[in-house]
Amino acid sequence: MMNDDQNLETQAAPPKSGKSGLAVLVGGVAIAVVALAVAQIVRTPAPTPPALADAAMTEAEISEHGGVLEAALAKSDETGKPVLAIATADWCPPCQELKRGALADASVDAFISESFIPVSLDFTDRNNADMQKYAATLQISGIPAMLVIDDDRVIARRSGNAPRLSSWHGGHQSAVAIASTGLPVSSLLAKAAS
């Protein structure tokens, strides 16, 4: 007859079959495959949001005005709409999250298209002289970054991912509460170019 201690030891003994070890191994491999797939998706650059793709400056405009931001500022002067500069890089996971999330939202896209002259500042190449100039001029210290430039001044900025970008829907005036720096963008760009 078995006593209680012997009975507990028998119940706690590992199974003798190798089936549970194989299940753990297969489960671990499945988790690793899913993790690698997710990591690849995050590393893969997101598509350009429609508002930015539709508003892309032509090579002629960029050349005529001396740069993509300068072309957007010229278009802003013509239309009276403020510029929304969005700084991202392909190697930046929060930038890709922003593009896949808030900037992919149809209502945000419509708001940007209707309210701003959007311009994409692509910081993928860290040695790009134009992007270095824009980073210094606009005081961009981290990406993703979004800046509203109206009447030649940065009137609002947001750094980091903005999952609630839709809060800007009230018009760019509500975005002014984020930050008001009053930087004279055109004169700083001209100074940086000389």
Side-chain angles (χ1 to χ4, degrees):
M1 183 159 150
M2 294 171 69
N3 64 32
D4 286 339
D5 289 337
Q6 289 173 324
N7 193 17
L8 286 175
E9 286 177 24
T10 306
Q11 290 175 354
K16 294 182 181 181
S17 134
K19 290 180 184 176
S20 67
L22 180 61
V24 169
L25 179 63
V26 169
V29 168
I31 289 171
V33 167
V34 169
L36 287 172
V38 168
Q40 182 60 34
I41 289 170
V42 170
R43 279 190 298 217
T44 303
T48 301
L52 291 172
D54 294 345
M57 306 296 154
T58 66
E59 288 299 321
E61 289 173 312
I62 294 168
S63 177
E64 176 186 345
H65 296 287
V68 68
L69 181 58
E70 293 84 349
L73 291 169
K75 197 175 272 191
S76 174
D77 287 343
E78 293 170 15
T79 64
K81 288 183 178 181
V83 170
L84 175 62
I86 301 176
T88 63
D90 287 351
W91 46 260
C92 166
C95 298
Q96 303 317 306
E97 184 181 337
L98 176 65
K99 288 181 187 178
R100 286 188 178 93
L103 294 177
D105 182 283
S107 65
V108 171
D109 182 67
F111 171 68
I112 290 172
S113 295
E114 293 167 13
S115 305
F116 299 99
I117 302 297
V119 63
S120 176
L121 302 178
D122 184 359
F123 284 85
T124 299
D125 177 0
R126 296 174 197 222
N127 297 316
N128 181 299
D130 283 340
M131 293 306 126
Q132 290 177 356
K133 174 179 71 174
Y134 298 151
T137 302
L138 299 173
Q139 298 178 352
I140 297 171
S141 59
I143 56 173
M146 293 174 284
L147 299 92
V148 176
I149 304 168
D150 195 11
D151 195 24
D152 202 29
R153 303 234 180 257
V154 174
I155 62 167
R157 69 175 59 240
R158 166 81 188 208
S159 292
N161 194 350
R164 291 179 292 278
L165 183 62
S166 57
S167 67
W168 283 28
H169 273 80
H172 71 278
Q173 290 83 5
S174 65
V176 174
I178 295 172
S180 181
T181 59
L183 299 172
V185 176
S186 293
S187 61
L188 289 173
L189 285 171
K191 185 177 180 182
S194 58

